[in-house]
Amino acid sequence: MSGRRLAELLAATETQTPQGGQAVSFEPLGWVWLKAGSRRRRERTEAGVTRMIETMRVETRADPRLVAGRVLRFDGDDWTVVAVEVDAERPGRVRADLERRP
């Protein structure tokens, strides 16, 4: 599933419900074009629990709104931005590592 994608950039906002739980809502920040890499699956163990996650590396134009913790929504999936790094070989471009739990 590599190729160019138009993705919606979202900021997750957590609020406490009257019952004491957590509600997450997404605030739209805009749209970005991505050059998506291939999806990879791997296992991650947190607190003794092993979960399957998907990872993907994407390339896009530099955008100050694109930071770790934000969400990119494309192809019907929500991907969390894990890391963003400047592409030293291509000024004005960045690479971002994304994760999602299938």
Side-chain angles (χ1 to χ4, degrees), residues 5-12 24-28 30-32 34 39 66 70-81 98-100:
R5 306 273 192 288
L6 182 61
E8 185 174 15
L9 180 61
L10 305 162
V24 179
S25 60
F26 294 97
E27 177 185 342
W31 298 86
V32 293
L34 305 173
R39 295 180 183 208
L66 188 63
R70 298 262 165 96
V71 173
L72 289 168
R73 181 175 288 162
F74 59 97
D75 293 342
D77 297 320
D78 288 348
W79 293 81
T80 303
V81 178
L98 310 179
E99 284 186 357
R100 83 174 193 94

Side-chain angles (χ1 to χ4, degrees), residues 16-71:
Q16 190 165 357
T17 65
Q19 296 79 18
Q22 292 288 330
V24 179
S25 60
F26 294 97
E27 177 185 342
L29 299 176
W31 298 86
V32 293
W33 279 102
L34 305 173
K35 180 180 176 187
S38 58
R39 295 180 183 208
R40 299 179 191 271
R41 287 184 179 245
R42 65 186 182 110
E43 292 182 349
R44 173 179 283 166
T45 302
E46 295 174 352
V49 177
T50 301
R51 296 182 182 179
M52 183 65 68
I53 62 166
E54 278 188 314
T55 62
M56 179 186 302
R57 178 165 265 207
V58 298
E59 293 180 20
T60 187
R61 292 177 190 247
D63 187 330
R65 301 171 300 170
L66 188 63
V67 295
R70 298 262 165 96
V71 173

